């Protein structure tokens, strides 16, 4: 079961696509959002959730005060579930909350190549078998769309070598949670 941890939609259960995704565990999401809350970056933020699956990371951000969330996943089933989950979160929002949630059903690279927006917080949770070259292309395209103090959270297998970082992104730290490695990046 995947759920929203805190904020106005706290404890809300989210649907998960039946196949093809690997939801971020509650333990890892709690650690990520604890760190983001400590930085104070979510209130009013523009958030991008790439390889979104159920949309749990982006929707958690919305629940905790992000103003705009974009979920991107090329799988039709994931986009459909993400849209359903976004509707559930919107229904939980207080009347005065100004949260916009957009779901995009297209490949991450295509989305980034065509994007005109910029973001404050970005989550990348690609399939663990995504080739390093494709991840690098994603990161290169993303770097052009980051606001100056942006935070990027990348999830990879703890067994994989550290990715190559493109110009425009700087690795701050890595934290392992069992089989999961979380990389914290900033706009450089």
């Amino acid at each position: 079961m995947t759920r929203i941890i805190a904020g106005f939609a706290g404890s809300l259960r989210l649907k998960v696509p039946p196949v093809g995704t690997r939801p971020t565990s509650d333990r890892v999401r709690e650690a990520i959002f604890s760190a983001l809350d400590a930085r104070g970056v979510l209130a009013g933020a523009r958030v991008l959730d790439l390889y979104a699956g159920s949309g749990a990371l982006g929707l958690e951000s919305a629940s905790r005060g992000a103003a705009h969330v974009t979920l991107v996943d090329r799988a039709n089933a994931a986009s459909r579930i993400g849209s359903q989950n976004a509707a559930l979160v919107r229904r939980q929002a207080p009347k005065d909350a100004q949260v916009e949630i957009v779901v995009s059903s297209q490949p991450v690279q295509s989305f980034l190549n065509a994007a005109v927006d910029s973001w404050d917080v970005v989550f990348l949770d690609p399939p663990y078998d995504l080739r390093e070259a494709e991840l690098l292309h994603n990161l290169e395209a993303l770097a052009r769309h980051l606001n100056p103090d942006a935070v990027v959270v990348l999830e990879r297998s703890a067994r994989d070598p550290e990715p190559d970082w493109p110009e425009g992104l700087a690795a701050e730290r890595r934290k392992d949670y069992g089989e999961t490695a979380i990389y914290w990046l900033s706009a450089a």
Side-chain angles (χ1 to χ4, degrees), residues 42 65 69 72-73 83 92 97 105 117:
L42 288 175
V69 175
V72 179
D73 200 306
S83 293
Q92 295 292 318
S105 179
D117 293 323

Side-chain angles (χ1 to χ4, degrees), residues 122-168:
V122 179
F123 301 103
L124 278 96
D125 185 9
Y128 282 175
D129 64 354
L130 184 79
R131 294 177 319 127
E132 292 300 317
E134 187 172 349
L135 176 61
L136 181 59
H137 290 306
N138 289 172
L139 293 170
E140 287 169 342
L142 174 63
R144 296 187 298 268
H145 299 289
L146 297 175
N147 288 328
D149 294 326
V151 177
V152 178
V153 181
L154 170 65
E155 184 174 334
R156 297 297 287 158
S157 170
R159 296 181 213 175
D160 288 346
E162 183 170 332
D164 291 326
W165 308 118
E167 187 174 321

